[in-house]
Amino acid sequence: MSNVVISTRVRLARNLKDYPFPCKLSQQGREEVIEKVRDAVKNGNSVLADDFSYIKMSEVDPVKRVSLVERRLVSPEFISDTEGRALLLSSDNSLSIMLNEEDHIRLQVITRGLSPEQAYDTADKLDTLLDERLDFAFDEKLGYLTQCPTNLGTGMRASVMLHLPALEKSRAVTRIAGNLSKLGLTMRGAHGEGTEPKGALYQLSNQVTLGISEKAAIENLKNITAQLVAQEEQARERLCKSDEVRDAIARSLGILRYALVISHDEALKLLSNVRLGIVSGQITDISVDVIDKLMTDVEPATLTVNAGRSLSAHERDVARSELIRPRVAGAGSRN
C-alpha cells in the first residue's frame, strides 16, 4: 500500500483537570500547564523521556514556525498565537506534543506507510507516561473532555496521507469525499482542515470520537483506506495506459531534471506525476522515498530554513530547482 499511503498519524487530545481550557487560561496558567507536562515527560518512567527537546514557540523564528506546519509537526492554528505555547519534539520528529493549542495537550505520532496500530501503540505509551503524573479531565460517560465537542470521548484522531493522482484526474475524489462523512471519516488537503490538496495529496481521518473505541476507529480507517487504495490502483492501471499520461510523466521528469526555476505549485504537480511514473514502472532508478521527502522539502518555509538565509520568491524558485535536480538526476524512464 506504500504506493498510495505515504504516512499515518495518530493524535490524542488531553486536558488537565484543574485548569480551564486554553481559550480561557491566563498566561500564568499556560506556563503552569507547560511546566507540568514538561516535568511529566522529563521525569516519567520511560525511555521516551530523554528523547524530547523543548521549544518555546514565542522564541521560534516565524519562518521556522511555518516550516513546522509544512512538515506536519504542528497545526496551522498552533503557530497563529505563540504566547504561552510550547512544543516537545522527539529527535527523529516522529513524536510531538503541542502544549496549549486548542487543548492543553495535543500529542501526535507519525509513522511511514499504513501503520495505524503502530502509531497508536506509541501514542498510547506516551499518553500512559503522562497519565502517571498528570490528572486528565475525564468523565465516565463522555470520556476525555476537550474544548471542541467533536473531540470528546477518545480524543483520538487517526489519519493517513494518500497520494491519489488517478482518482483526482478522473474527478472521483470529489464524489468519494462527499460520501465519507456517512462512514465517520473526512478527506482534506495535506495540512488538514481548511487546506486545499496539492500534488494529489489528501489526508483521510476519522471524524467520530464519541461512542466508539480507539480500536474500532482505527479499524474503520484501515478498511476505508484499503478500499480507496484499491480504487486508486484500478484507476492508475487504466490511466497509465494513456499515451497522454505517459508523456506527461516523462515530461515532468525532464523538467525536474533540467529546469533552473520551479515554483512551489509546479514542483508538487511534477513530483506527483513522477511518483505516479515510479509506482507504475515507467520511471526506474529513483525511489518513492526520494519523491516523498522532496514533496516536503520544496515547501517555501522549509526550503528557506534549509537554505539558512532569507530568500525572495524568485530565489526560492531557483533554490527549489537546485534542490530537486541532483535528487532525480539518476532517474531513468522506460517507454
Side-chain angles (χ1 to χ4, degrees):
M1 287 193 181
S2 61
N3 286 347
V4 178
V5 184
I6 295 176
S7 62
T8 300
R9 180 174 64 179
V10 167
R11 189 209 72 198
L12 301 178
R14 300 288 186 262
N15 288 282
L16 304 192
K17 183 179 179 180
D18 298 325
Y19 290 86
F21 292 130
C23 64
K24 297 293 185 180
L25 197 56
S26 66
Q27 181 65 24
Q28 180 181 342
R30 288 181 175 222
E31 294 298 334
E32 288 178 10
V33 167
I34 289 173
E35 285 308 309
K36 283 179 178 292
V37 178
R38 188 180 180 188
D39 178 73
V41 172
K42 183 179 179 181
N43 297 312
N45 185 26
S46 171
V47 293
L48 295 172
D50 296 328
D51 194 39
F52 284 93
S53 58
Y54 172 75
I55 302 169
K56 191 173 182 179
M57 294 307 297
S58 60
E59 298 177 355
V60 179
D61 178 85
V63 176
K64 290 183 179 179
R65 293 200 296 263
V66 175
S67 177
L68 290 171
V69 175
E70 292 173 349
R71 290 182 285 148
R72 300 180 68 225
L73 300 177
V74 303
S75 67
E77 203 287 322
F78 186 62
I79 69 168
S80 65
D81 178 10
T82 60
E83 287 304 314
R85 290 181 173 178
L87 176 68
L88 292 169
L89 186 63
S90 68
S91 58
D92 64 357
N93 292 342
S94 65
L95 286 74
S96 63
I97 304 175
M98 290 178 281
L99 301 177
N100 293 324
E101 192 227 35
E102 184 176 80
D103 296 293
H104 296 147
I105 299 169
R106 285 290 179 91
L107 180 164
Q108 74 168 30
V109 176
I110 298 178
T111 54
R112 290 285 300 168
L114 181 62
S115 50
E117 291 95 349
Q118 177 188 341
Y120 175 73
D121 182 63
T122 302
D124 186 50
K125 288 178 180 176
L126 188 52
D127 183 40
T128 300
L129 169 68
L130 295 175
D131 193 36
E132 289 173 351
R133 304 180 70 89
L134 300 171
D135 192 5
F136 289 144
F138 185 84
D139 181 86
E140 289 297 330
K141 291 183 178 180
L142 297 176
Y144 290 102
L145 303 181
T146 56
Q147 181 175 312
C148 182
T150 59
N151 290 320
L152 281 171
T154 62
M156 184 194 79
R157 296 281 182 177
S159 65
V160 290
M161 183 72 74
L162 304 166
H163 183 227
L164 304 174
L167 290 178
E168 182 179 82
K169 190 170 182 62
S170 66
R171 299 182 180 177
V173 164
T174 303
R175 171 181 55 80
I176 292 170
N179 293 329
L180 283 172
S181 61
K182 303 172 186 176
L183 303 171
L185 295 110
T186 185
M187 191 152 64
R188 303 181 174 115
H191 297 297
E193 188 174 0
T195 62
E196 291 296 320
K198 293 182 179 180
L201 297 178
Y202 294 82
Q203 184 184 125
L204 176 69
S205 62
N206 69 299
Q207 279 186 310
V208 180
T209 61
L210 184 61
I212 184 173
S213 68
E214 292 92 339
K215 182 178 180 181
I218 285 174
E219 196 61 33
N220 187 40
L221 177 67
K222 281 184 64 179
N223 290 337
I224 301 303
T225 299
Q227 293 177 40
L228 277 174
V229 168
Q231 291 180 53
E232 171 66 20
E233 289 178 340
Q234 290 173 7
R236 286 181 184 183
E237 189 173 347
R238 295 190 298 270
L239 190 68
C240 291
K241 291 178 181 178
S242 163
D243 288 340
E244 180 183 354
V245 171
R246 292 173 64 81
D247 181 65
I249 290 171
R251 287 174 181 270
S252 296
L253 177 59
I255 294 172
L256 291 175
R257 291 180 70 178
Y258 298 109
L260 301 180
V261 181
I262 301 180
S263 70
H264 169 254
D265 287 0
E266 182 187 21
L268 289 182
K269 180 180 178 180
L270 297 174
L271 288 168
S272 177
N273 286 342
V274 168
R275 193 181 196 279
L276 177 61
I278 294 169
V279 300
S280 66
Q282 181 178 338
I283 294 175
T284 59
D285 301 326
I286 186 171
S287 74
V288 166
D289 289 345
V290 168
I291 302 301
D292 290 348
K293 190 170 190 313
L294 276 172
M295 282 183 157
T296 299
D297 289 349
V298 299
E299 292 286 338
T302 299
L303 192 72
T304 301
V305 169
N306 290 337
R309 62 185 180 88
S310 178
L311 299 174
S312 66
H314 177 71
E315 287 174 330
R316 284 199 303 269
D317 292 347
V318 172
R320 188 174 289 111
S321 69
E322 292 174 346
L323 172 72
I324 293 171
R325 285 200 305 272
R327 298 197 193 181
V328 300
S333 62
R334 184 171 61 195
N335 296 325

